[in-house]
Amino acid sequence: MTTNTDEHPETKGASYAPKGLPPKAAIDVKHVILVLSGKGGVGKSTVSVNLASALSAHGRQVGLLDLDIHGPSIPKMLGIEDQKPGVLNKILEPVHVTGTLAVMSMAFLLPDTSSPVIWRGPMKMSVIQQFLTEVNWGALDYLIVDLPPGTGDEALSIIQLAPNVQGAVIVTTPQDMAVLDAMKAVKFIEKLEVPVLGIIENMSGMICPQCGETIDLFGRGGGEKAAEELGIPYLGSIPLDPEMVKAGDEGRPYVLRHADTPTWKAVDLVMENLVNLVES
């Protein structure tokens, strides 16, 4: 990573931006999966963390790339926010959560968790290129890319720079407004000529911590209906589970500690549906 240690990442200017469009990054990865949403607050990063963890637990070699440059949260959700990537011959080593799950995030490069990143688009492309080409990912089965909400520079850059982009997964919640924004995200990805692998409905009902029953707190079925209308796969629904919220706050991936619960089964089914689409 060509980072000047005398200058904090959040204060660099656009003079570091690449000139012209660079070639595809030469990294050894079979499947690059983009995870995005049309709006914030739908639990996209939570889905990314648990999807990557589920793939890793099923024997896949997985990289998790946090491209929410202005609000990186993946390290906190995995309990690795205090770690720093090693450097060998100017190449960064990603932070390894397990032997089959490695993570890279802007959060590792900031002086502290409260430091803002104030960058324009060209600078974002530069750091995304570095995250691909100057990080020792090794041989990966999957690179899960957690993108910021909306249809901005980060999605455009990763599609231009990453090899073997299999497609995008859109995360939504059941409410009409969230589904509407998800449909916009689908159209955005389609315009970039990238396959939409499917929609995931997050917070689809809530698991009652007392009785274990599912309560339709935000409704249910909006994501599935949108997938049907758009003619794209529906990968499944994940309920709003207080234990999943707690696991994220404590830095413990839910799927690694709550086997055979309804929420674990829901995440695992989503993962299986995605794998069947990508690897078939």
Side-chain angles (χ1 to χ4, degrees):
M1 179 68 68
T2 53
T3 301
N4 187 340
T5 55
D6 295 327
E7 192 171 12
H8 290 159
E10 72 273 19
T11 61
K12 289 182 180 178
S15 61
Y16 287 79
K19 296 180 180 179
L21 186 62
K24 293 280 188 180
I27 63 173
D28 186 2
V29 57
K30 295 178 182 176
H31 312 293
V32 175
I33 308 296
L34 313 181
V35 182
L36 70 156
S37 62
K39 63 183 301 250
V42 300
K44 169 189 54 61
S45 294
T46 299
V47 170
S48 295
V49 164
N50 284 285
L51 181 60
S53 298
L55 286 166
S56 171
H58 281 261
R60 304 311 197 276
Q61 198 71 36
V62 183
L64 177 55
L65 178 55
D66 182 1
L67 283 192
D68 195 344
I69 292 170
H70 297 285
S73 58
I74 296 294
K76 170 64 177 176
M77 292 182 176
L78 288 167
I80 54 175
E81 68 270 27
D82 294 329
Q83 297 190 37
K84 297 294 181 184
V87 182
L88 180 62
N89 296 326
K90 298 183 179 180
I91 298 296
L92 283 172
E93 288 290 331
V95 175
H96 290 270
V97 181
T98 67
T100 56
L101 178 59
V103 181
M104 181 52 64
S105 171
M106 177 59 70
F108 296 139
L109 307 180
L110 297 174
D112 56 65
T113 56
S114 64
S115 297
V117 177
I118 307 170
W119 282 350
R120 295 183 184 273
M123 191 57 205
K124 295 179 187 178
M125 174 175 272
S126 178
V127 78
I128 290 169
Q129 183 185 15
Q130 291 178 313
F131 279 158
L132 292 173
T133 62
E134 299 180 28
V135 172
N136 182 24
W137 290 105
L140 296 176
D141 294 309
Y142 286 86
L143 179 64
I144 304 298
V145 182
D146 182 54
L147 289 161
T151 54
D153 295 321
E154 293 85 350
L156 291 167
S157 296
I158 194 69
I159 289 169
Q160 290 170 341
L161 297 172
N164 298 327
V165 176
Q166 298 298 315
V169 171
I170 312 297
V171 180
T172 186
T173 52
Q175 302 100 310
D176 288 343
M177 284 305 300
V179 170
L180 179 62
D181 288 326
M183 294 175 78
K184 291 177 183 177
V186 169
K187 296 295 185 183
F188 167 68
I189 291 298
E190 289 177 340
K191 285 183 180 294
L192 297 177
E193 299 182 350
V194 172
V196 178
L197 298 173
I199 289 179
I200 299 171
E201 182 176 289
N202 195 33
M203 305 182 194
S204 181
M206 186 187 80
I207 302 295
C208 175
Q210 303 299 324
C211 66
E213 296 294 324
T214 301
I215 304 168
D216 288 342
L217 190 64
F218 300 127
R220 194 186 302 186
E224 185 173 10
K225 182 180 178 182
E228 183 179 350
E229 290 178 0
L230 293 167
I232 60 177
Y234 180 63
L235 297 177
S237 60
I238 301 172
L240 176 62
D241 189 333
E243 286 300 316
M244 182 174 280
V245 177
K246 182 180 178 182
D249 287 343
E250 294 179 351
R252 298 177 293 105
Y254 179 92
V255 297
L256 299 183
R257 296 174 180 264
H258 297 81
D260 296 326
T261 64
T263 303
W264 179 90
K265 291 177 181 178
V267 174
D268 211 53
L269 179 60
V270 168
M271 183 273 299
E272 290 179 1
N273 290 338
L274 178 62
V275 167
N276 289 337
L277 275 172
V278 171
E279 297 185 7
S280 61

